[in-house]
Amino acid sequence: MDELMTDPHVRLSRATLNDLPETVLRPAYAAGDLSPGIVHVGVGNFHRAHQAWYLHRLMQQGEARDWAIIGAGVRPGDAAMRGRLLAQDGLTTLIELRPDGSSAEVTGAMIGFLPVEADNAALIAQMADPAIRIVSLTVTEGGYFVNPATGAFDPDHPDIAHDAAAPGRPRTAFGAIAAALRMRRDAGTGPFTVQSCDNLQGNGNITRAAVVSLARLSDPDLAAWIDTHCTFPNSMVDCIVPATGPAEIAAAGAFGIDDRAPVTHENFRQWVIEDAFCAGRPDWDRVGATFTSDVHAYETMKIRILNAGHQVLANAGELLAMGTIADCMAHPAISAFWHRVQREEIVPHVAPVPGMTPLAYAELIATRFANPAIRDTTRRVAFDGSSRHTGFVLPILRDGLAAGAPVEGLSLVEALWARMCAGTRDDGSAIADNDPNWAALQGAALIARDRPAAWLEQAEIYGPLAQDGRFADAFSRWLPLIWGQGTLAALKSYAKDGAA
């Protein structure tokens, strides 16, 4: 070709911000306007679409410019994200996906990303800097070293044992935090707040247990100092943020941006935070966050209606080969099932929060789940049912049984999960392993085809629930119906009269 070909995309950097299309929002501040106040461990998509976005919005108003973020990671894989983000000066393109279209905004609240090192030396040194007043984390729900059998901190995990034996060369984020706090205590520069932004009920309490318990293994005096002087606010975080792949990079390209790590997200965010910050905080409430002394009520509403609601959809959707949660909500029988279970069996066991009734929240969640622009896969939502059913669904089932309230729908949810764990869909196609305990679950599911009680005899999941006659009887009616006539027949039977 004789014509000179040019790339229509602007390679994202602070030097090229003014070259972006006019339709793309961009920072109204320069990197030189900012100074660090937060170290964030785990710079994944959720953090950049959530906490970093709230801070960016404050900075856009000329505030909080001494609270900029220094990124960090403790896993070898974090180095790849570091490389991508440093190559574009810490900037991120956020693409909001609405049912009627999308929009893009470039954010710049992060001004550095520490080297990812086996001994976390750079991370410890940065956290020891008195300018750092908050250390925040998104290290996934499974990254807090909690023993699944007891719900308590696990001191026997190999990484924890290493950090206890070598506290100056820690492998974990919690070991690095303890090491930095030791330096600050010894220097007299005071504590910082440790803020979990992971989707855990009581995430602050869990984080406190991890840091203090780990410190106690090697330095009880330090553990006591941390427990007395540091704060660990609980919070509830919410925004649906898909993983980034070629489609998301192409979505940034459609806005004329060459971004190697863009983030797509739904048009909804919520952040409810316990106002417990020992060294100050940004005024996130000025841009939509809520500070409260009762995070628990918000957590309960979200976990029961959204997280348990995901499980109401996902197993039925997987059995009927629905690709996404939006596909499930578009399916008349699955959607009708979801709405009735919410209305009759979940919402009655949720208390209102200021400005929101449980029923109104359920309708909000229905709208969010139905957004076809969010490609949240049914498989992802169904993953690790052994944790999600025990954590999200079964507490509601127990409350319903104790109150003498309806539980037919929730019993059907459990029967659908049992059927899914057999490893085939209604059309005969295979369901690939989708749980850390898949082999045990599949074994129980196949036995339960002929003897439903075998599923409930998994004591680590159901415990005394297996002996509750109302639940056991309902489950033992639903599971044979699903096997014999299919998922759709069971959903229609529930819609007809609520019983098999």
Side-chain angles (χ1 to χ4, degrees):
M1 295 178 63
D2 295 330
E3 296 180 11
L4 179 64
M5 300 297 294
T6 59
D7 187 347
H9 300 160
V10 175
R11 184 76 174 94
L12 186 60
S13 72
R14 294 193 186 265
T16 61
L17 286 174
N18 289 334
D19 299 328
L20 296 175
E22 293 182 0
T23 56
V24 177
L25 299 176
R26 67 208 70 186
Y29 50 87
D33 300 332
L34 308 180
S35 59
I38 298 172
V39 168
H40 184 84
V41 182
V43 186
N45 283 13
F46 184 82
H47 162 71
R48 291 184 290 145
H50 197 263
Q51 182 198 23
W53 176 88
Y54 281 96
L55 191 58
H56 163 74
R57 297 310 302 169
L58 274 176
M59 292 174 171
Q60 291 288 71
Q61 298 175 10
E63 302 178 29
R65 293 186 176 180
D66 60 342
W67 284 102
I69 296 167
I70 302 293
V74 296
R75 301 173 302 178
D78 292 324
M81 179 63 78
R82 177 178 186 265
R84 287 192 292 270
L85 290 177
L86 288 183
Q88 53 196 49
D89 300 327
L91 300 174
T92 290
T93 306
L94 294 182
I95 302 169
E96 181 177 277
L97 303 175
R98 304 182 307 276
D100 62 347
S102 60
S103 58
E105 177 175 18
V106 173
T107 67
M110 192 178 80
I111 59 172
F113 201 130
L114 299 168
V116 181
E117 301 169 327
D119 63 0
N120 288 302
L123 173 58
I124 294 167
Q126 184 69 66
M127 291 189 294
D129 184 337
I132 300 303
R133 287 150 285 164
I134 295 173
V135 172
S136 53
L137 306 112
T138 45
V139 294
T140 77
E141 291 81 359
Y144 287 78
F145 301 98
V146 173
N147 185 315
T150 64
F153 176 73
D154 181 6
D156 298 321
H157 190 283
D159 288 342
I160 296 301
H162 171 276
D163 286 6
R169 301 185 306 278
R171 293 176 180 169
T172 73
F174 306 108
I177 289 169
L181 286 169
R182 180 185 297 107
M183 294 172 66
R184 291 174 70 127
R185 180 200 62 179
D186 294 348
T189 52
F192 50 68
T193 295
V194 185
Q195 182 182 25
S196 171
C197 298
D198 278 304
N199 185 31
L200 293 163
Q201 190 159 14
N203 57 10
N205 298 336
I206 291 169
T207 307
R208 177 186 290 273
V211 175
V212 173
S213 298
L214 175 55
R216 189 176 293 121
L217 294 174
S218 60
D219 189 339
D221 290 340
L222 174 64
W225 184 87
I226 293 171
D227 204 24
T228 299
H229 296 285
C230 294
T231 50
F232 299 80
N234 291 300
S235 65
M236 186 274 276
V237 297
D238 191 11
C239 185
I240 297 173
V241 183
T244 293
E248 287 69 32
I249 292 173
F255 284 97
I257 307 171
D258 180 3
D259 185 334
R260 306 302 167 87
V263 176
T264 60
H265 60 89
E266 66 171 328
N267 58 325
F268 177 89
R269 286 182 183 86
Q270 190 174 22
W271 196 10
V272 182
I273 315 165
E274 184 181 13
D275 199 356
F277 290 79
C278 63
R281 60 163 174 79
D283 293 326
W284 285 304
D285 51 324
R286 296 189 181 183
V287 287
T290 299
F291 286 105
T292 179
S293 59
D294 185 16
V295 172
H296 179 72
Y298 291 88
E299 288 177 326
T300 300
M301 178 176 281
K302 174 181 178 282
I303 284 172
R304 294 201 165 192
I305 294 176
L306 188 153
N307 295 107
H310 258 155
Q311 300 313 301
V312 175
L313 292 173
N315 303 136
E318 186 71 287
L319 289 167
L320 292 173
M322 297 291 105
T324 68
I325 293 301
D327 292 338
C328 292
M329 292 300 287
H331 188 287
I334 300 176
S335 179
F337 174 56
W338 188 88
H339 281 282
R340 184 173 177 183
V341 173
Q342 287 283 358
R343 184 177 65 252
E344 296 183 3
E345 302 186 25
I346 296 179
V347 163
H349 305 294
V350 176
V353 299
M356 182 69 71
T357 67
L359 187 59
Y361 186 73
E363 291 306 313
L364 171 64
I365 297 305
T367 300
R368 292 170 60 193
F369 283 179
N371 182 352
I374 300 294
R375 301 292 298 174
D376 197 13
T377 67
T378 305
R379 177 175 173 80
R380 185 200 73 80
V381 173
F383 176 75
D384 195 10
S386 55
S387 294
R388 294 181 175 188
H389 281 256
T390 54
F392 303 150
V393 180
L394 298 188
I396 311 170
L397 183 59
R398 292 188 192 99
D399 286 353
L401 290 166
V407 294
E408 283 288 337
L410 292 174
S411 300
L412 176 52
V413 170
E414 294 307 293
L416 290 164
W417 180 39
R419 170 64 184 85
M420 190 204 80
C421 287
T424 57
R425 299 182 180 85
D426 283 12
D427 62 9
S429 60
I431 298 172
D433 297 13
N434 201 26
D435 193 287
N437 302 308
W438 185 257
L441 291 171
Q442 188 171 35
L446 292 172
I447 296 171
R449 178 171 186 171
D450 297 316
R451 189 173 67 85
W455 180 261
L456 302 183
E457 289 167 1
Q458 298 177 96
E460 68 280 9
I461 295 174
Y462 291 101
L465 273 175
Q467 280 72 54
D468 189 290
R470 197 150 67 95
F471 168 54
D473 289 348
F475 177 89
S476 295
R477 283 185 274 106
W478 285 120
L479 186 57
L481 176 60
I482 299 167
W483 273 113
Q485 299 181 39
T487 299
L488 190 56
L491 296 179
K492 288 180 177 179
S493 178
Y494 175 73
K496 180 180 178 182
D497 57 15

